[in-house]
Each structure stands twice: as structure tokens, then as C-alpha cells.
């Protein structure tokens, strides 16, 4: 028998109409607000939880997987296959944009093409 989170993950994923996102600490709060209100995503933002805000990257990776959430970050460290093996990945989107409006455009594109692609 696994943890409660492991048992509930399939149910939460099935019930969730919106992408379930784990936003790490380097994302601007304005972008997190955009993800919630404009894109309608279910976002867990680590800066809103005192226990998570200073957690190491490995803990964020593990928790995103445990909670069944896609990790979104600006941190290129997540490209390190030795530390964050793709085989056990929760799904990680490493973003790069020159500014917040550019990041918002990128996330809107990710919403349409990766997280909620239209059915054929």
C-alpha cells in the first residue's frame, strides 16, 4: 500500500479538468497568477508554502511526481539527467523567456500544444 497521495493521484488527475502544475520558486508571482486566472490551471506555488519555499530541487522534483503535477521552472538544473532522470520524471517544463510577457506567451503555447492539445 502506497502513500495517500499515491492512492489519490489517479483520482485527482481524472477529476481535474485543468492541468495540475507545480510551480517552483523562481517563477514570478504575476506569472503564477496568469497561470491560475488566465489559463485556468490548478497551480501549487511553492512560495505559498513555508515548508516548500526553501526545499532543494530534488525535493520539488519528487513532490511534483508524488502530487501528480507537471513541474514548471526557469531553472536549467532540471536538464541534468543524472539528478533528474526522465524515466522517473513528473513531467518538467523548463522555460526561457526574456521577460514576463514573453513567459506568459510561452505558457499559453504550452497550454495549447502540450497540456491541453485539441482533439483531432
Amino acid at each position: 500500500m502506497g502513500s495517500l497521495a499515491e492512492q489519490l493521484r489517479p483520482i485527482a488527475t481524472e477529476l481535474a479538468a485543468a492541468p495540475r502544475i507545480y510551480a517552483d520558486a523562481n517563477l514570478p508571482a504575476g506569472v503564477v497568477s496568469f497561470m491560475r486566472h488566465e489559463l485556468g490551471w490548478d497551480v501549487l506555488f511553492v512560495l505559498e508554502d513555508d515548508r516548500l519555499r526553501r526545499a532543494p530541487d530534488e525535493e520539488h522534483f519528487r513532490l511534483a511526481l508524488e502530487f501528480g503535477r507537471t513541474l514548471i521552472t526557469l531553472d536549467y538544473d532540471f536538464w541534468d539527467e543524472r539528478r533528474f532522470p526522465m524515466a522517473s520524471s513528473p513531467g518538467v517544463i523548463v522555460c526561457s523567456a526574456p521577460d514576463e510577457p514573453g513567459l506568459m506567451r510561452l505558457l499559453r503555447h504550452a497550454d495549447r500544444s502540450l497540456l491541453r492539445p485539441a482533439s483531432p
Side-chain angles (χ1 to χ4, degrees):
M1 178 182 274
S3 70
L4 179 60
E6 289 171 338
Q7 293 173 20
L8 293 178
R9 183 181 324 129
I11 297 167
T13 302
E14 193 174 299
L15 293 175
R20 294 170 39 82
I21 304 300
Y22 188 103
D24 82 352
N26 58 24
L27 288 170
V31 171
V32 172
S33 178
F34 168 79
M35 289 189 286
R36 287 176 173 155
H37 299 99
E38 297 295 320
L39 299 177
W41 294 354
D42 175 359
V43 181
L44 184 158
F45 186 30
V46 300
L47 288 183
E48 296 170 343
D49 186 311
D50 290 336
R51 294 168 294 156
L52 298 178
R53 64 184 322 135
R54 294 203 190 328
D57 290 345
E58 289 80 6
E59 182 70 359
H60 292 307
F61 187 82
R62 185 189 71 72
L63 287 171
L65 179 61
E66 182 177 333
F67 296 156
R69 292 177 176 270
T70 302
L71 174 63
I72 296 187
T73 182
L74 300 173
D75 187 347
Y76 293 127
D77 290 348
F78 286 97
W79 284 114
D80 185 345
E81 175 74 18
R82 292 166 297 163
R83 289 176 62 198
F84 309 104
M86 292 304 289
S88 62
S89 172
V92 178
I93 299 174
V94 179
C95 299
S96 177
D99 52 25
E100 280 192 36
L103 182 55
M104 290 175 187
R105 283 192 305 275
L106 179 64
L107 293 171
R108 188 177 301 282
H109 178 73
D111 183 52
R112 289 189 310 259
S113 61
L114 298 173
L115 300 172
R116 289 194 276 207
S119 327

PDB file of all heavy atoms in Angstrom, residues 83-101:
ATOM      1  N   ARG A  83      20.673  13.917 -12.047  1.00  0.00           N
ATOM      2  CA  ARG A  83      19.921  14.337 -10.859  1.00  0.00           C
ATOM      3  C   ARG A  83      18.420  14.157 -11.032  1.00  0.00           C
ATOM      4  O   ARG A  83      17.704  13.896 -10.059  1.00  0.00           O
ATOM      5  CB  ARG A  83      20.205  15.814 -10.552  1.00  0.00           C
ATOM      6  CG  ARG A  83      21.587  16.061 -10.030  1.00  0.00           C
ATOM      7  CD  ARG A  83      21.856  17.539  -9.825  1.00  0.00           C
ATOM      8  NE  ARG A  83      20.983  18.150  -8.841  1.00  0.00           N
ATOM      9  CZ  ARG A  83      20.790  19.467  -8.748  1.00  0.00           C
ATOM     10  NH1 ARG A  83      21.383  20.299  -9.575  1.00  0.00           N
ATOM     11  NH2 ARG A  83      19.986  19.948  -7.831  1.00  0.00           N
ATOM     12  N   PHE A  84      17.945  14.331 -12.248  1.00  0.00           N
ATOM     13  CA  PHE A  84      16.510  14.302 -12.522  1.00  0.00           C
ATOM     14  C   PHE A  84      16.236  13.391 -13.728  1.00  0.00           C
ATOM     15  O   PHE A  84      15.994  13.865 -14.834  1.00  0.00           O
ATOM     16  CB  PHE A  84      15.998  15.721 -12.793  1.00  0.00           C
ATOM     17  CG  PHE A  84      16.394  16.701 -11.733  1.00  0.00           C
ATOM     18  CD1 PHE A  84      17.420  17.610 -11.948  1.00  0.00           C
ATOM     19  CD2 PHE A  84      15.771  16.679 -10.494  1.00  0.00           C
ATOM     20  CE1 PHE A  84      17.800  18.499 -10.947  1.00  0.00           C
ATOM     21  CE2 PHE A  84      16.158  17.563  -9.494  1.00  0.00           C
ATOM     22  CZ  PHE A  84      17.169  18.472  -9.728  1.00  0.00           C
ATOM     23  N   PRO A  85      16.292  12.088 -13.501  1.00  0.00           N
ATOM     24  CA  PRO A  85      16.130  11.140 -14.621  1.00  0.00           C
ATOM     25  C   PRO A  85      14.743  11.223 -15.259  1.00  0.00           C
ATOM     26  O   PRO A  85      13.728  11.217 -14.568  1.00  0.00           O
ATOM     27  CB  PRO A  85      16.373   9.780 -13.983  1.00  0.00           C
ATOM     28  CG  PRO A  85      16.297   9.984 -12.510  1.00  0.00           C
ATOM     29  CD  PRO A  85      16.490  11.431 -12.223  1.00  0.00           C
ATOM     30  N   MET A  86      14.724  11.303 -16.564  1.00  0.00           N
ATOM     31  CA  MET A  86      13.459  11.405 -17.289  1.00  0.00           C
ATOM     32  C   MET A  86      12.565  10.188 -17.043  1.00  0.00           C
ATOM     33  O   MET A  86      11.347  10.312 -17.041  1.00  0.00           O
ATOM     34  CB  MET A  86      13.730  11.557 -18.795  1.00  0.00           C
ATOM     35  CG  MET A  86      14.368  12.886 -19.161  1.00  0.00           C
ATOM     36  SD  MET A  86      13.418  14.317 -18.612  1.00  0.00           S
ATOM     37  CE  MET A  86      12.038  14.226 -19.704  1.00  0.00           C
ATOM     38  N   ALA A  87      13.158   9.035 -16.803  1.00  0.00           N
ATOM     39  CA  ALA A  87      12.370   7.823 -16.576  1.00  0.00           C
ATOM     40  C   ALA A  87      11.474   7.941 -15.341  1.00  0.00           C
ATOM     41  O   ALA A  87      10.429   7.310 -15.269  1.00  0.00           O
ATOM     42  CB  ALA A  87      13.290   6.614 -16.436  1.00  0.00           C
ATOM     43  N   SER A  88      11.873   8.752 -14.377  1.00  0.00           N
ATOM     44  CA  SER A  88      11.048   8.926 -13.181  1.00  0.00           C
ATOM     45  C   SER A  88      10.535  10.364 -13.066  1.00  0.00           C
ATOM     46  O   SER A  88      10.214  10.834 -11.985  1.00  0.00           O
ATOM     47  CB  SER A  88      11.849   8.552 -11.930  1.00  0.00           C
ATOM     48  OG  SER A  88      12.965   9.413 -11.795  1.00  0.00           O
ATOM     49  N   SER A  89      10.421  11.034 -14.193  1.00  0.00           N
ATOM     50  CA  SER A  89      10.030  12.439 -14.208  1.00  0.00           C
ATOM     51  C   SER A  89       8.532  12.628 -14.018  1.00  0.00           C
ATOM     52  O   SER A  89       7.724  11.870 -14.555  1.00  0.00           O
ATOM     53  CB  SER A  89      10.443  13.063 -15.539  1.00  0.00           C
ATOM     54  OG  SER A  89       9.917  14.360 -15.671  1.00  0.00           O
ATOM     55  N   PRO A  90       8.157  13.680 -13.285  1.00  0.00           N
ATOM     56  CA  PRO A  90       6.739  14.016 -13.176  1.00  0.00           C
ATOM     57  C   PRO A  90       6.255  14.753 -14.422  1.00  0.00           C
ATOM     58  O   PRO A  90       5.076  15.024 -14.564  1.00  0.00           O
ATOM     59  CB  PRO A  90       6.710  14.955 -11.970  1.00  0.00           C
ATOM     60  CG  PRO A  90       8.051  15.617 -11.982  1.00  0.00           C
ATOM     61  CD  PRO A  90       9.009  14.545 -12.478  1.00  0.00           C
ATOM     62  N   GLY A  91       7.177  15.071 -15.302  1.00  0.00           N
ATOM     63  CA  GLY A  91       6.918  15.974 -16.421  1.00  0.00           C
ATOM     64  C   GLY A  91       7.464  17.323 -16.004  1.00  0.00           C
ATOM     65  O   GLY A  91       7.030  17.889 -15.001  1.00  0.00           O
ATOM     66  N   VAL A  92       8.470  17.795 -16.702  1.00  0.00           N
ATOM     67  CA  VAL A  92       9.124  19.054 -16.351  1.00  0.00           C
ATOM     68  C   VAL A  92       9.167  19.936 -17.578  1.00  0.00           C
ATOM     69  O   VAL A  92       9.575  19.493 -18.651  1.00  0.00           O
ATOM     70  CB  VAL A  92      10.565  18.814 -15.833  1.00  0.00           C
ATOM     71  CG1 VAL A  92      11.252  20.132 -15.513  1.00  0.00           C
ATOM     72  CG2 VAL A  92      10.571  17.895 -14.619  1.00  0.00           C
ATOM     73  N   ILE A  93       8.727  21.170 -17.414  1.00  0.00           N
ATOM     74  CA  ILE A  93       8.833  22.171 -18.470  1.00  0.00           C
ATOM     75  C   ILE A  93       9.795  23.236 -17.968  1.00  0.00           C
ATOM     76  O   ILE A  93       9.507  23.932 -16.995  1.00  0.00           O
ATOM     77  CB  ILE A  93       7.463  22.793 -18.809  1.00  0.00           C
ATOM     78  CG1 ILE A  93       6.501  21.715 -19.304  1.00  0.00           C
ATOM     79  CG2 ILE A  93       7.623  23.903 -19.841  1.00  0.00           C
ATOM     80  CD1 ILE A  93       5.080  22.202 -19.532  1.00  0.00           C
ATOM     81  N   VAL A  94      10.959  23.312 -18.616  1.00  0.00           N
ATOM     82  CA  VAL A  94      11.956  24.325 -18.278  1.00  0.00           C
ATOM     83  C   VAL A  94      11.765  25.458 -19.271  1.00  0.00           C
ATOM     84  O   VAL A  94      11.954  25.278 -20.471  1.00  0.00           O
ATOM     85  CB  VAL A  94      13.396  23.760 -18.353  1.00  0.00           C
ATOM     86  CG1 VAL A  94      14.407  24.847 -18.020  1.00  0.00           C
ATOM     87  CG2 VAL A  94      13.558  22.565 -17.419  1.00  0.00           C
ATOM     88  N   CYS A  95      11.384  26.618 -18.767  1.00  0.00           N
ATOM     89  CA  CYS A  95      11.068  27.766 -19.619  1.00  0.00           C
ATOM     90  C   CYS A  95      12.233  28.741 -19.719  1.00  0.00           C
ATOM     91  O   CYS A  95      13.035  28.855 -18.791  1.00  0.00           O
ATOM     92  CB  CYS A  95       9.863  28.519 -19.052  1.00  0.00           C
ATOM     93  SG  CYS A  95       8.368  27.543 -18.947  1.00  0.00           S
ATOM     94  N   SER A  96      12.266  29.444 -20.827  1.00  0.00           N
ATOM     95  CA  SER A  96      13.217  30.513 -21.021  1.00  0.00           C
ATOM     96  C   SER A  96      12.513  31.601 -21.817  1.00  0.00           C
ATOM     97  O   SER A  96      11.988  31.334 -22.902  1.00  0.00           O
ATOM     98  CB  SER A  96      14.440  30.011 -21.782  1.00  0.00           C
ATOM     99  OG  SER A  96      15.337  31.067 -22.030  1.00  0.00           O
ATOM    100  N   ALA A  97      12.481  32.795 -21.271  1.00  0.00           N
ATOM    101  CA  ALA A  97      11.835  33.928 -21.938  1.00  0.00           C
ATOM    102  C   ALA A  97      12.522  35.209 -21.470  1.00  0.00           C
ATOM    103  O   ALA A  97      13.033  35.261 -20.344  1.00  0.00           O
ATOM    104  CB  ALA A  97      10.347  33.967 -21.615  1.00  0.00           C
ATOM    105  N   PRO A  98      12.536  36.238 -22.294  1.00  0.00           N
ATOM    106  CA  PRO A  98      13.246  37.468 -21.935  1.00  0.00           C
ATOM    107  C   PRO A  98      12.568  38.288 -20.844  1.00  0.00           C
ATOM    108  O   PRO A  98      13.216  39.084 -20.166  1.00  0.00           O
ATOM    109  CB  PRO A  98      13.299  38.247 -23.245  1.00  0.00           C
ATOM    110  CG  PRO A  98      12.125  37.746 -24.029  1.00  0.00           C
ATOM    111  CD  PRO A  98      11.958  36.303 -23.629  1.00  0.00           C
ATOM    112  N   ASP A  99      11.251  38.094 -20.668  1.00  0.00           N
ATOM    113  CA  ASP A  99      10.508  38.893 -19.695  1.00  0.00           C
ATOM    114  C   ASP A  99       9.195  38.187 -19.364  1.00  0.00           C
ATOM    115  O   ASP A  99       8.879  37.143 -19.939  1.00  0.00           O
ATOM    116  CB  ASP A  99      10.256  40.312 -20.230  1.00  0.00           C
ATOM    117  CG  ASP A  99       9.627  40.323 -21.617  1.00  0.00           C
ATOM    118  OD1 ASP A  99       8.942  39.335 -22.000  1.00  0.00           O
ATOM    119  OD2 ASP A  99       9.808  41.311 -22.354  1.00  0.00           O
ATOM    120  N   GLU A 100       8.434  38.769 -18.431  1.00  0.00           N
ATOM    121  CA  GLU A 100       7.169  38.132 -18.026  1.00  0.00           C
ATOM    122  C   GLU A 100       6.168  38.002 -19.170  1.00  0.00           C
ATOM    123  O   GLU A 100       5.550  36.948 -19.315  1.00  0.00           O
ATOM    124  CB  GLU A 100       6.550  38.871 -16.831  1.00  0.00           C
ATOM    125  CG  GLU A 100       7.191  38.488 -15.526  1.00  0.00           C
ATOM    126  CD  GLU A 100       6.417  38.989 -14.309  1.00  0.00           C
ATOM    127  OE1 GLU A 100       5.168  39.010 -14.344  1.00  0.00           O
ATOM    128  OE2 GLU A 100       7.086  39.339 -13.320  1.00  0.00           O
ATOM    129  N   PRO A 101       5.968  39.045 -19.991  1.00  0.00           N
ATOM    130  CA  PRO A 101       5.029  38.862 -21.107  1.00  0.00           C
ATOM    131  C   PRO A 101       5.458  37.732 -22.047  1.00  0.00           C
ATOM    132  O   PRO A 101       4.624  36.961 -22.522  1.00  0.00           O
ATOM    133  CB  PRO A 101       5.038  40.221 -21.820  1.00  0.00           C
ATOM    134  CG  PRO A 101       5.409  41.199 -20.742  1.00  0.00           C
ATOM    135  CD  PRO A 101       6.398  40.464 -19.875  1.00  0.00           C
TER     136      PRO A 101
END
